[in-house]
């Protein structure tokens, strides 16, 4: 019979095609961060190392994340994705997206600017997106953290909306973390 995992029914191998992870994807990530053959000798070594680390981390994590996406894409119990954080690099912007909950139709929409692959909201972002399955929302890893962040959003932004709410949220996180990890919150309409 069909195997059942902790996150729902698994697809049969015939339904999911293996992906290839090419080195040019890592090279593109380095170029996007300004690390090229012509610039590497002009940048401080610490800057190059930090940028190479960020590009490599995105490339390595991408393979595992893509496997989850492939399996979820053929699972009719999946209702969407929720952004989750590890707590290591969660900035105010990441926490705002975590507070939103199960609103993302794709993993890319949950993790990347305008849903564009390999365009994270900021370098070293360690957030992930987890699939959410019908009737098992409260069993989803990170769901209780989402509820806590949602409660915090309501408390911090009580009586505010739009730009004022985002400004209050940003101010709250800056007071807790000392910075906003270099992200820009999008303008609210």
């Amino acid at each position: 019979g069909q195997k059942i995992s902790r996150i729902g029914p698994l697809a049969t191998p015939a339904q999911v095609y293996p992906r290839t992870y090419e080195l040019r994807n890592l090279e593109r990530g380095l170029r996007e961060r300004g690390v090229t053959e012509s610039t590497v000798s002009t940048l401080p070594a610490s800057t190059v190392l930090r940028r190479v680390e960020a590009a490599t981390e995105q490339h390595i994590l991408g393979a595992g994340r893509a496997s989850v996406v492939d399996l979820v894409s053929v699972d009719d119990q999946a209702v969407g994705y929720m952004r989750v954080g590890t707590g290591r690099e969660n900035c105010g912007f990441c926490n705002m997206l975590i507070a939103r909950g199960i609103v993302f139709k794709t993993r890319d929409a949950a993790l990347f600017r305008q849903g564009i692959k390999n365009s994270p909201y900021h370098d070293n972002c360690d957030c992930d997106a987890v699939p959410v399955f019908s009737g098992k929302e409260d069993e989803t890893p990170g769901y209780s953290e989402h509820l806590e962040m949602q409660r915090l959003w309501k408390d911090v932004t009580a009586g505010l909306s739009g730009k004022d709410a985002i400004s209050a949220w940003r101010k709250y996180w800056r007071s807790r973390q000392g910075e906003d990890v270099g992200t820009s919150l999008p303008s609210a309409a």
Side-chain angles (χ1 to χ4, degrees), residues 109-122:
L111 290 179
F112 303 118
R113 279 181 272 192
Q114 299 171 357
I116 301 169
K117 283 185 192 268
N118 299 319
S119 182
Y121 287 101
H122 60 85

Side-chain angles (χ1 to χ4, degrees), residues 10 12 19 34 66 166:
L10 294 176
T12 61
R19 294 181 184 221
I166 291 171

Side-chain angles (χ1 to χ4, degrees), residues 53-85:
E53 249 178 13
T56 303
E57 182 179 9
Q58 285 294 331
H59 184 69
I60 291 169
L61 293 175
R65 291 171 175 165
S67 296
V68 172
V69 170
D70 290 344
L71 291 172
V72 170
S73 70
V74 295
D75 191 325
D76 60 0
Q77 295 297 308
V79 294
Y81 285 84
M82 182 176 80
R83 187 179 179 106
V84 295

Side-chain angles (χ1 to χ4, degrees), residues 53-147:
E53 249 178 13
T56 303
E57 182 179 9
Q58 285 294 331
H59 184 69
I60 291 169
L61 293 175
R65 291 171 175 165
S67 296
V68 172
V69 170
D70 290 344
L71 291 172
V72 170
S73 70
V74 295
D75 191 325
D76 60 0
Q77 295 297 308
V79 294
Y81 285 84
M82 182 176 80
R83 187 179 179 106
V84 295
T86 65
R88 190 180 52 152
E89 293 283 340
N90 297 7
C91 65
F93 185 75
C94 291
N95 288 324
M96 180 180 69
L97 294 178
I98 291 167
R100 294 188 67 204
I102 312 164
V103 297
F104 303 101
K105 296 294 182 195
T106 67
R107 181 187 169 280
D108 289 345
L111 290 179
F112 303 118
R113 279 181 272 192
Q114 299 171 357
I116 301 169
K117 283 185 192 268
N118 299 319
S119 182
Y121 287 101
H122 60 85
D123 273 350
N124 304 315
C125 179
D126 61 354
C127 290
D128 202 354
V130 295
V132 181
F133 295 89
S134 180
K136 298 182 187 254
E137 292 83 354
D138 57 347
E139 297 174 26
T140 303
Y143 189 74
S144 61
E145 290 82 359
H146 148 68
L147 292 176

Side-chain angles (χ1 to χ4, degrees), residues 35-73:
V35 178
T36 64
E37 285 183 52
S38 62
T39 63
V40 75
S41 61
T42 63
L43 295 170
S46 61
T47 300
V48 172
L49 180 60
R50 207 172 47 251
R51 291 177 182 179
V52 167
E53 249 178 13
T56 303
E57 182 179 9
Q58 285 294 331
H59 184 69
I60 291 169
L61 293 175
R65 291 171 175 165
S67 296
V68 172
V69 170
D70 290 344
L71 291 172
V72 170
S73 70

